[in-house]
Amino acid sequence: MKNIMKKILLVSLIVITLASCIEQPPVPKPKTYLRLGTPEPQYVLFRDQTMPFEFEYPDYGKIIPIKSDDKASKWFNISFDCYGFEANVSYIPIKNDTALAYMVNDCYTFLDKHKKFSSGIIERQYENPEKRVFGTAFEIKGSEVVSPYQFYITDSSRHFLRLALHCKTAPNNDSLSAYIKRIQTDLEHLISTFSWK
């Protein structure tokens, strides 16, 4: 009886040893990114005596004025250093009936430069007739898009403002998607609180 048990034990050990030596094909791990936290911001009112508008922007942004020789046009950036992005903002007064069409067309021309890197563009219209704020926002999809969000706002007669969000580093928007979503949400808040003086 002892011999039979020894043989069974020996056969079992051999089977287990052989079974454990069979190699499984390697399975690659999926590409992963860090989970990036983006806390809810407080909003700050932007009001400047030299600008014909006001709006609320997130407290993690910093307004950086840009000097210009053109006294009518105003340029400034909103730096989102903590996320590695910057929004370039330009205000241009509308001087004649054809100027608005030219400025809107210029926005679409600039947008066309990003199409070759884009996997799609989502366009949204904004209207607030009470405040005379009309515009279009562009969410530009794609992992290598340098400017993932842009918009323009106008009152259709005297004022035109354009904003383009830019990544300060080589873009990898898959890994930066949490930051882009946070900033986009806050820029949409800027649009909803925007008013002409």
Side-chain angles (χ1 to χ4, degrees), residues 52-186:
F53 52 82
E54 58 187 31
F55 57 80
E56 290 182 1
Y57 67 99
D59 60 356
Y60 62 85
K62 180 181 176 188
I63 304 284
I64 301 170
I66 298 173
K67 300 229 184 258
S68 171
D69 293 337
D70 183 356
K71 292 184 179 177
S73 298
K74 307 290 182 189
W75 304 78
F76 61 94
N77 291 334
I78 307 174
S79 179
F80 305 115
D81 279 342
C82 61
Y83 297 140
F85 283 85
E86 180 174 78
N88 305 128
V89 185
S90 55
Y91 164 77
I92 304 168
I94 298 173
K95 296 180 180 172
N96 58 50
D97 292 343
T98 58
L100 178 60
Y102 174 80
M103 289 177 210
V104 170
N105 187 55
D106 198 39
C107 287
Y108 280 93
T109 301
F110 186 76
L111 194 63
D112 282 343
K113 294 177 182 176
H114 297 278
K115 281 188 178 175
K116 64 182 173 183
F117 302 106
S118 168
S119 60
I121 297 173
I122 299 170
E123 189 173 324
R124 289 188 199 90
Q125 304 293 319
Y126 285 94
E127 270 188 44
N128 187 336
E130 196 175 292
K131 291 183 178 180
R132 295 208 42 82
V133 175
F134 310 96
T136 304
F138 307 95
E139 185 181 343
I140 307 161
K141 301 287 190 183
S143 64
E144 296 181 12
V145 172
V146 176
S147 180
Y149 189 75
Q150 302 177 21
F151 68 78
Y152 70 84
I153 296 174
T154 182
D155 68 347
S156 300
S157 58
R158 296 174 51 219
H159 305 293
F160 186 87
L161 181 131
R162 181 177 179 281
L163 179 145
L165 180 67
H166 295 283
C167 185
K168 289 181 170 183
T169 60
N172 183 348
N173 295 345
D174 290 337
S175 63
L176 299 174
S177 63
Y179 292 164
I180 293 169
K181 187 175 173 109
R182 171 77 268 155
I183 296 170
Q184 181 181 329
T185 298
D186 296 330

Side-chain angles (χ1 to χ4, degrees), residues 38-58:
T38 56
E40 286 288 320
Q42 298 294 313
Y43 293 103
V44 180
L45 179 64
F46 173 79
R47 183 181 284 155
D48 184 309
Q49 296 303 318
T50 65
M51 308 280 190
F53 52 82
E54 58 187 31
F55 57 80
E56 290 182 1
Y57 67 99

